[in-house]
Amino acid sequence: MRRAPRTSRRRRPPRPLAAAMAAAGLVGLLAGPSGSDPAPLRTTAAGSNTATVFFYTKTKNWSATHLHYAPDGGAWTTVPGVLMEAACTDWVKQTVDLGSAAGLQATFNNGSGTWDNNGGANYALGTGTVTVRDGVIAHSDPCADTETGSGNEATVYYSTATSGWTTANIHYAPTAGSWTTAPGVGMETACTGWWKETLDIGTATSLKAAFNNGNGVWDNNNGADYTIPLGTTTVKDRTVTSGAANPCAAELPDTEPPTAPAKVTASATDTSVVVSWDAATDDKGVTKYQVTRTGGTLGTVVTDVGSTVHSDSGLEEKTTYTYTVKAVDAAGNTSPASAAATATTGERAPAPANGAPLGTDPRKDPIYFVLTARFYDGDTANDRGGSQHVKSGNAANDDPMFRGDFKGLVEKLDYVKALGFSAVWITPVVLNRSDYDYHGYHGYDFYKVDPRLESAGASYQDLINAAHAKGMKIYQDVVYNHSSRWGAKGLFTPTVYGVRDSQWSWYYDEKAEGFAYDGLTVEPKSGKSYYNGDLWSTAEPTGNTCLNWGKPTGGKSAEGYTLYNCQWPSPTSGMFPKTYYHRCWIGNWEGEDSRSCWLHEDLADFDTESTPVQNYLIGAYDKYIDMGVDGFRIDTAVHIPRVTWNRRFLPAIYDRVTQKFGTEAARNFFVFGEVGAFVNDKWNRGSVNHSAQFFTWKERKEYSADDETAALEQFTYENNLGTGNQPTSTNAFLSGNSYHTPDRSQFSGMNIIDMRMHMNFGDAQNAYSNGKDSDDSVNDATYNVVYVDSHDYGPNKSSTRYSGGTDAWAENMALMWTFRGIPTLYYGSEIEFQKGKQIDCGPSCPLASTGRAYFGDHLAGSVTASDFGTVASASGTVAATLAQPLVKHLQRLNQIRRAIPALQTGQYSTDGISGGMAFKRRYTSAGTDSFALVTVTGAASFTGIPNGTYKDAVTGDVKSVSNGTLSVAAPGQGNLRVYVLNGPGKIGADGPYLK
């Protein structure tokens, strides 16, 4: 073991780390979590440009060491190079005069033909003090402050497992002694992730210390320095453990098996069985489960499973199967088998006629977006107010947050069809869990449809089938990025400290054995709650990893109640294992951490690069694909690396659709992602990794096989390429007046919500100008989903629903229904519902006063649609709703768009066109050739167009073009003209705007 040199006995007042660093010229290098790494530390002698190279010889056993080098831009020395001189124990050194060079290339050898040439790449060294130790380059003097002697010793182990540093230095001062010269003493490798140094500190009984990587990145205990006593101490993640055991000592063999899985259940649907169980515990951790099935003609079948849910499909009809489960740890120890669970299959279910996606081009289908729980209440029996029902003010309005349901949506599909929409985007359907979870984005059981949305005869499958029967698609909102803060059932759920004192007894129900939360069922022990009863424990659970279990934090809740550790799940509490979840908060929204940390306490961030998490999510969403949904809207897509989407989730979606329904259905299965780039420029603050269009492309290079490593590699690679080196596309643009076959070979599989148009829809002209500016960087912008406002934001990230006025709404709609992309409307906007109201204020105010208010009062009565955009009959309040001016406007826009293929799937161009919002569109395929000239609100002139007869779809006006020119007078705000070459003429009847 090498004894580190002790500090000089020259006495001077102890100085804090900042002072020591200032003296060393290192002011500004105390980098915090959001700081940028400074340039590598270099020490240059006055009046010269040298590099003093130290080489570690202990692991070489060479009798001599030579430095063979070339200054940058200069010639190499003659082989074998310069003989290096002894520096201190295990180190040799050589000082090189570099002249004007900024560094040197170097290799090392023993003078007898044995070389260390950095694996054939040479070493790239800078100036100043440079160390090369077992292939690692650093910048500290390993022989600094040398003095012989013997005194008290402190052995320090420092962990770099979290930081990922490839070398470590300890900068220290014995109590009442002086600091080492920054960056301190280079530590030696102890074992993977640990560095070690034994320090002679004379007569001192402790020391102050900080650590750094030798290149200006510091861990100074958040500015407080570390206090380290004599003996052996470990420092890991800012935790100092004195009198510690050697973290690199060989561990005793793990011989303890996990506990047997408990509460195994098996339930059959047709010829499939779902088996689930409670997680087993183990002193080291469970790595997998073995599910053993007996029964049927195949006999015994054993399957390895990564989560606590196993879906067993394709079984024999009317057959009883028995399942037992064993847990296995990393050492291969296997638990006893669980108690058996049995299930009997039924008959093989016939493929339902409407249980398949409609499979048509999604660009033909305008989208109506509903928060299912706030749209229409078809069944009051499944209404639920949640734990905040009274506090929120919803109780006073008799307005439970879970109010609308699938039954209500089925009953009002004709209303949506009467508006002219043929696709319905619904909020997430999986079982949610939080104090305010009606919106669906706090998923808890991803394999279960939330029963607060379902009714007898109105299941999710019934909704899908009913929509398909009317020629309407269902787009399901899905979340891959996060679960609820209570975890994800079947993957991981935390045990939470549930104190039942006089302050908290209203919230924490006493644990009820056998109770399983479903959002709907009342927990039988208290007889009043359907929210609690299964996660909370006063006693510290076996294997708990949350620090200071149940101890007061020192803080108070909003009500003034005492807060306790482990009472609320969070990423930094130790309650979530890294195997399944990330364990940090986002610090930089354009940094890599925005893809690997938590957004909010109610959004527990999945480690989507983890195989068990990937399997859990893919298995869950396979279920809904199999039910026949027509597409997925992907929530928070930007918070998962594109390489993970492209490697794992997107291929899994399309492979499943292909497997179940064929290649044509897969080609038209519509996936569109929310990439939250809330800026008014083309690239999100210059970050390509966080820009919407970036996610429409495949990868351009190969990355490491490990997904976590690949994510970092991709971020760095694309970030370094920058905005000027991203792929471009002509898929949305005409070639002159001609449509061309789009090249979709580099399409990732993910389309996008047009965030740039959304952000700029304060007025239609601004949205139009900004939208088309980004189209060359989208793989195919004709698939962009375009909306003005949503359940999150209004234009320009406004927190209120759009309130620009009826005329402006009409103008926005006229643009969306004729320009490239898929027009989308948030529920109620057809009557300017809740205009100017705050979209969401959480549980602090009643929903009735927000943009997410209940819409059902406007839909009372009956309505029958004879076609898209056409009402056969209507009575009651809904008839008055359908008579509103923007409704009439929407109906006719939908009629026109459906009749003109160029407005649905056509490419566009503005060449040869004058006018504010004017463009030409064309779509050509087989027997279809549709060419349209469009102007919204203002006058326009079109030159260089094909000659022929053009008919306006709004007025029926006919213009004969013989010189390639057509001019249009301004139709007025909200109105438009659509002149179609050899077109059908006027479509629909005049309304309040289109006339």
Side-chain angles (χ1 to χ4, degrees):
M1 177 186 300
R2 181 176 70 88
R3 180 186 297 271
R6 63 176 177 167
T7 57
S8 171
R9 286 289 195 273
R10 292 191 303 273
R11 292 298 182 187
R12 57 184 173 183
R15 54 181 171 172
L17 176 60
M21 294 181 69
L26 296 175
V27 174
L29 297 189
L30 291 168
S34 61
S36 59
D37 292 349
L41 177 67
R42 291 173 181 166
T43 304
T44 306
S48 66
N49 183 31
T50 63
T52 299
V53 182
F54 288 85
F55 186 75
Y56 187 61
T57 61
K58 184 174 183 178
T59 52
K60 297 297 183 184
N61 294 315
W62 292 349
S63 59
T65 304
H66 293 255
L67 170 66
H68 179 48
Y69 71 93
D72 291 350
W76 284 85
T77 56
T78 303
V79 175
V82 180
L83 178 66
M84 304 183 76
E85 63 186 37
C88 57
T89 305
D90 300 327
W91 289 92
V92 295
K93 72 175 183 178
Q94 186 66 40
T95 299
V96 177
D97 186 348
L98 297 176
S100 61
L104 67 154
Q105 298 287 312
T107 63
F108 303 87
N109 64 86
N110 68 350
S112 301
T114 301
W115 288 80
D116 175 1
N117 63 358
N118 196 22
N122 299 332
Y123 289 98
L125 309 179
T127 60
T129 301
V130 185
T131 62
V132 180
R133 179 173 176 169
D134 297 334
V136 177
I137 299 171
H139 300 274
S140 63
D141 184 346
C143 303
D145 298 323
T146 302
E147 181 175 322
T148 60
S150 177
N152 293 334
E153 288 189 346
T155 298
V156 184
Y157 287 89
Y158 181 71
S159 171
T160 55
T162 301
S163 67
W165 292 354
T166 56
T167 188
N169 297 288
I170 181 170
H171 178 51
Y172 69 95
T175 303
S178 44
W179 286 86
T180 55
T181 301
V185 177
M187 304 181 76
E188 63 184 28
T189 302
C191 56
T192 302
W194 285 96
W195 299 78
K196 172 189 176 184
E197 198 64 36
T198 298
L199 305 172
D200 182 339
I201 58 174
T203 59
T205 57
S206 65
L207 64 142
K208 292 285 189 181
F211 303 88
N212 63 84
N213 70 349
N215 289 285
V217 180
W218 288 81
D219 171 10
N220 62 1
N221 196 24
N222 286 330
D225 297 332
Y226 290 98
T227 298
I228 297 175
L230 298 178
T232 300
T233 302
T234 60
V235 181
K236 181 177 182 180
D237 297 335
R238 296 197 173 96
T239 299
V240 177
T241 304
S242 60
N246 180 354
C248 299
E251 291 188 17
L252 294 175
D254 179 10
T255 59
E256 183 176 343
T259 61
K263 299 180 183 177
V264 180
T265 62
S267 60
T269 302
D270 303 321
T271 54
S272 297
V273 173
V274 175
V275 187
S276 64
W277 56 91
D278 284 356
T281 60
D282 183 69
D283 59 334
K284 301 294 184 181
V286 174
T287 57
K288 67 178 180 179
Y289 294 92
Q290 291 179 342
V291 180
T292 299
R293 182 189 77 204
T294 57
T297 57
L298 293 180
T300 301
V301 176
V302 179
T303 305
D304 287 345
V305 179
S307 68
T308 57
V309 177
H310 173 53
S311 297
D312 203 7
S313 59
L315 302 173
E316 298 168 42
E317 294 181 294
K318 299 178 180 179
T319 302
T320 298
Y321 291 93
T322 300
Y323 295 86
T324 58
V325 185
K326 295 179 180 179
V328 183
D329 65 17
N333 298 310
T334 303
S335 76
S338 69
T342 61
T344 302
T345 58
E347 295 181 352
R348 195 172 306 281
N354 296 317
L358 295 183
T360 54
D361 193 317
R363 295 173 295 179
K364 296 180 179 181
D365 301 297
I367 302 170
Y368 191 72
F369 171 36
V370 302
L371 268 74
T372 310
R374 306 302 299 157
F375 187 62
Y376 190 74
D377 193 1
D379 180 5
T380 59
N382 59 14
D383 292 357
R384 289 293 183 273
S387 65
Q388 305 297 305
H389 189 46
V390 174
K391 179 180 178 181
S392 65
N394 289 333
N397 294 324
D398 192 23
D399 184 26
M401 60 173 185
F402 266 95
R403 190 171 178 183
D405 46 39
F406 294 145
K407 189 172 188 294
L409 186 51
V410 169
E411 290 177 7
K412 298 305 175 184
L413 283 175
D414 265 44
Y415 169 78
V416 179
K417 186 170 184 175
L419 296 177
F421 293 94
S422 51
V424 183
W425 158 15
I426 60 173
T427 40
V429 305
V430 304
L431 175 62
N432 265 232
R433 188 167 194 171
S434 77
D435 291 335
Y436 221 55
D437 57 357
Y438 65 95
H439 44 66
Y441 298 99
H442 296 167
Y444 175 68
D445 187 346
F446 287 68
Y447 285 77
K448 181 181 180 66
V449 176
D450 201 308
R452 291 169 289 188
L453 299 175
E454 293 194 303
S455 309
S459 66
Y460 185 35
Q461 185 69 69
D462 291 324
L463 168 64
I464 295 168
N465 293 349
H468 288 174
K470 294 180 182 294
M472 302 170 70
K473 295 179 177 178
I474 294 294
Y475 294 149
Q476 178 179 328
D477 210 320
V478 295
V479 184
Y480 287 77
N481 176 67
H482 58 264
S483 71
S484 75
R485 70 175 172 198
W486 308 114
K489 185 177 181 181
L491 183 70
F492 174 80
T493 56
T495 299
V496 182
Y497 178 66
V499 58
R500 286 183 53 78
D501 58 20
S502 58
Q503 295 179 339
W504 289 107
S505 59
W506 65 275
Y507 188 83
Y508 294 105
D509 283 338
E510 189 176 355
K511 191 174 183 71
E513 292 299 330
F515 173 73
Y517 166 83
D518 64 6
L520 190 65
T521 303
V522 173
E523 179 267 305
K525 197 163 189 176
S526 69
K528 62 181 180 179
S529 173
Y530 49 85
Y531 186 68
N532 295 335
D534 60 338
L535 294 181
W536 286 267
S537 173
T538 301
E540 183 171 357
T542 302
N544 169 57
T545 55
C546 185
L547 300 177
N548 300 314
W549 176 270
K551 295 179 181 178
T553 66
K556 300 288 184 180
S557 72
E559 301 89 350
Y561 300 162
T562 298
L563 294 174
Y564 298 87
N565 283 301
C566 313
Q567 185 176 14
W568 303 106
S570 77
T572 56
S573 65
M575 300 174 79
F576 287 87
K578 189 182 183 304
T579 306
Y580 306 117
Y581 285 90
H582 292 129
R583 304 174 77 175
C584 51
W585 295 105
I586 291 177
N588 178 5
W589 290 84
E590 276 72 52
E592 198 285 324
D593 58 332
S594 75
R595 312 183 311 163
S596 56
C597 295
W598 286 36
L599 293 160
H600 185 271
E601 64 175 8
D602 268 328
L603 310 177
D605 199 80
F606 282 131
D607 183 351
T608 49
E609 286 64 66
S610 161
T611 299
V613 172
Q614 293 169 356
N615 291 343
Y616 177 83
L617 292 169
I618 290 169
Y621 291 126
D622 279 352
K623 168 180 176 176
Y624 305 107
I625 290 171
D626 293 353
M627 293 172 74
V629 296
D630 300 276
F632 286 159
R633 180 267 188 184
I634 297 178
D635 181 71
T636 50
V638 70
H639 298 295
I640 294 175
R642 186 183 74 179
V643 69
T644 305
W645 285 117
N646 288 350
R647 278 185 175 186
R648 307 300 176 201
F649 296 132
L650 292 170
I653 291 170
Y654 290 107
D655 287 349
R656 187 68 170 196
V657 179
T658 301
Q659 175 190 358
K660 298 292 291 186
F661 306 113
T663 55
E664 183 67 11
R667 188 173 69 85
N668 288 315
F669 190 88
F670 190 45
V671 177
F672 59 106
E674 177 208 24
V675 180
F678 298 107
V679 293
N680 291 297
D681 53 11
K682 183 172 183 175
W683 297 99
N684 187 354
R685 298 181 180 90
S687 173
V688 296
N689 285 281
H690 298 87
S691 300
Q693 59 268 35
F694 180 77
F695 285 78
T696 65
W697 296 93
K698 288 182 177 179
E699 303 308 331
R700 293 182 283 172
K701 70 183 297 291
E702 292 290 330
Y703 299 106
S704 298
D706 175 71
D707 285 352
E708 187 172 352
T709 303
L712 295 171
E713 291 173 347
Q714 184 218 49
F715 182 89
T716 301
Y717 176 75
E718 294 290 355
N719 202 53
N720 289 342
L721 285 177
T723 60
N725 294 297
Q726 296 301 309
T728 58
S729 169
T730 62
N731 285 341
F733 306 115
L734 292 172
S735 178
N737 291 315
S738 300
Y739 177 87
H740 64 93
T741 302
D743 177 8
R744 306 264 288 170
S745 61
Q746 297 306 306
F747 175 51
S748 67
M750 184 186 294
N751 301 287
I752 53 172
I753 294 170
D754 198 320
M755 299 303 293
R756 194 170 179 196
M757 287 194 74
H758 162 54
M759 285 297 293
N760 287 280
F761 252 123
D763 68 85
Q765 177 66 60
N766 200 34
Y768 171 68
S769 299
N770 276 273
K772 65 181 181 179
D773 180 54
S774 296
D775 286 353
D776 64 340
S777 63
V778 181
N779 182 270
D780 192 341
T782 65
Y783 287 84
N784 285 10
V785 170
V786 182
Y787 58 61
V788 172
D789 63 357
S790 73
H791 59 322
D792 287 326
Y793 295 108
N796 203 28
K797 210 175 182 180
S798 165
S799 62
T800 60
R801 288 195 73 158
Y802 183 70
S803 58
T806 309
D807 291 351
W809 250 125
E811 184 177 49
N812 288 340
M813 291 176 180
L815 175 64
M816 288 194 291
W817 262 256
T818 55
F819 188 45
R820 61 97 185 111
I822 302 171
T824 301
L825 197 74
Y826 184 39
Y827 82 97
S829 292
E830 62 272 23
I831 61 169
E832 297 178 86
F833 181 60
Q834 299 295 89
K835 63 181 179 181
K837 296 292 181 67
Q838 186 173 355
I839 292 173
D840 175 35
C841 58
S844 62
C845 64
L847 282 166
S849 65
T850 72
R852 297 178 176 179
Y854 177 65
F855 192 57
D857 294 339
H858 297 275
L859 302 178
S862 63
V863 57
T864 301
S866 56
D867 203 348
F868 293 102
T870 305
V871 179
S873 63
S875 62
T877 305
V878 70
T881 300
L882 288 166
Q884 296 299 306
L886 286 178
V887 170
K888 295 298 184 185
H889 188 52
L890 268 176
Q891 289 173 320
R892 193 165 184 217
L893 283 171
N894 273 314
Q895 291 168 5
I896 291 172
R897 189 178 189 273
R898 288 184 176 282
I900 302 171
L903 301 184
Q904 302 170 43
T905 55
Q907 296 163 343
Y908 79 96
S909 173
T910 58
D911 293 344
I913 301 172
S914 66
M917 289 181 283
F919 45 90
K920 54 188 175 184
R921 297 190 66 185
R922 191 170 204 158
Y923 176 72
T924 305
S925 177
T928 299
D929 185 17
S930 177
F931 184 73
L933 308 175
V934 180
T935 183
V936 178
T937 300
S941 64
F942 302 84
T943 61
I945 60 174
N947 293 329
T949 301
Y950 290 79
K951 297 179 182 179
D952 179 25
V954 178
T955 64
D957 180 50
V958 179
K959 292 183 181 294
S960 295
V961 174
S962 58
N963 61 353
T965 300
L966 186 151
S967 296
V968 184
Q973 187 177 22
N975 202 353
L976 76 155
R977 297 290 180 259
V978 185
Y979 281 91
V980 182
L981 181 61
N982 302 318
K986 184 174 182 177
I987 299 168
D990 288 352
Y993 290 99
L994 297 181
K995 54 188 177 182

